[in-house]
Amino acid sequence: MVGSTSPTRTSQSMMSSTLLKAQSTQQQQQQQQDIEILYQRRPRPPYIPNHIPDPDYVRIFDTTLRDGEQSPGATLTSNEKLEIARMLAKLGVDIIEAGFPIASPDDFAAVKQIADVVGNEVFEDGYVPVICGLSRANERDIQCAWDAVKGAKYPRVHTFIATSKIHMETKLNKTPDQVVEIAVKAVKFARSLGCNDVEFSPEDAGRSDPEFLYRILSEVIEAGATTLNIPDTTGWNMPWEFGGLIEKLRANVKGAENVIFSTHCQNDLGLATANSLAGALNGARQLECTINGIGERAGNASLEEVCMALALKGDEQFRGGPGTGKLYTAINPVHISPTSKLVSEYTGMACQPHKAIVGANAFKHESGIHQDGMIKNKSTYEIMTPESIGLMRGDSQSGAGIVLGKHSGRNAVGTRLRELGYDLDADKLNAVFTRFKEVAEKKKGGLEDEDLEALVTDQAGLTNELWKVTGLQVATGMSGIPTATVKMLGPDGVERYVAATGTGPVDAVYKAIDQIVGVSVKLDTYSMNSVTEGIEALACTRVVLSPVEGGPNDNNPLISKDRKFSGSGSDTDIVIASARAYTSALNKLLMWTMRRQSENGNKVDDGSVGDA
């Protein structure tokens, strides 16, 4: 009969459909199993301060909250530090250097909070991070550091003194004999407090006389040091130089077999990661690093680079030191991307797009040849999967084409953010979703991934928000004086508005905000970029402020005029984006000031931090 379908063909079609569904289900189940494996915690040897039972195990010492925060403009609040510390614990770092407690009452409180909270949050596998506080080699610093960290299950004090000729002669004005005496007394004092985990660093070891290093390190071991950290403080060494130094120290320092050797490499010549790995090759079993490589000057060894290098090459390229040469860490790489994003958001320090592992372009391919290879086999151009570091490509990057617009719901936005590596709690997701709806109403064509990430950054600075811009209107042109009227909601719940003039609309807005909030600041940095292309693109603004004389800051002697505060803001209107960024930075400054004013009569050290 014409138009009829044979029973055989119908049966085959049904069988084919059933088979495709079964294959799809199997693929989904396999993907789910693969993801579950990624989130499994890595095993690690039991923690003994001066000994690692497995000589192939490498401890990861994270100093993001100490050396990383010394980056200009990278000021963090106590709550931000606590949240980062929790992410570092989830990542699985062995030691968290939580800060420099003597620097200020706020730094002390932040380190103590991390020690008391994160330092006692034991995971199911028994892991809990060591919490470390930095101190100079004097009793006051060491006592302060110990008081801050002693509440942790595994507390550590890290003390240092410079050992290079230029530092001893010009900075310390001390003889080598005096430096040795100071170092030994410092380690003994730390041990006398009940601290059985003492790390000692000879600052600028990379430019120090090896013979002097043999002497001072031998004596601090005898005094009770458990970890010897060897810093290339100025990033001066080549990898073969630094690796050779570690090898010579292990061979010539008395008692070297009874301590852990560590590296701390700065990135002034772009060799921090290479030098750290050279140290591991020659027997260092603790590597100090920071998330995104942030830190003084050009930064530190990047944790994600060091750990992924060991994960990919550790079992074949590190023979020669102690053990079998098959090096490994207990880092859970799947948490690298979320931790990197969190640090970027809170410090205001964005990664360069081509940054290894965590840069925006690290897993993107534009070349036609590369795209062809990726379509056929992703291993042709990727030595690791983005999923392995917690960056889920998601269906939208595989051809599903989900467009997030004003009709999208919270679930769609939350799912895409998780795929991008953002693990937000309910309150933060609600805040981002509210901003998403506001922007999506104005922006045709939907929001790109970059727009969503800009909104996350925009909301990151709103923790403990004191002031909020609730209204803004500007008038400007070639013949008139730029004028801005700004309305703000204060911490007392009262709305205030002020009109001000300026050299331009943004300057007028900032002057109006200054009058309402009542602070005196200097705008050190103002930058703006278009998140995407087109006339409706989202603008992302970042500012860096510092306190100046003439405002309420002067009433608080604890305020350092060199302190800098960053803020970010996003909107399709560049003036509103600028206002949001400026207000975010001011809120950070005000919260910082309020914490210090609550410290009654506390005397603060000059805050200088050695680059150990």
Side-chain angles (χ1 to χ4, degrees), residues 481-484 500-505 507-509 511:
I481 299 175
T483 305
T501 59
T503 57
D507 182 52
V509 168
K511 287 179 178 176

Side-chain angles (χ1 to χ4, degrees), residues 13 45 70 297 480 544:
S13 176
Q70 290 173 215
R297 303 184 312 280
V544 177

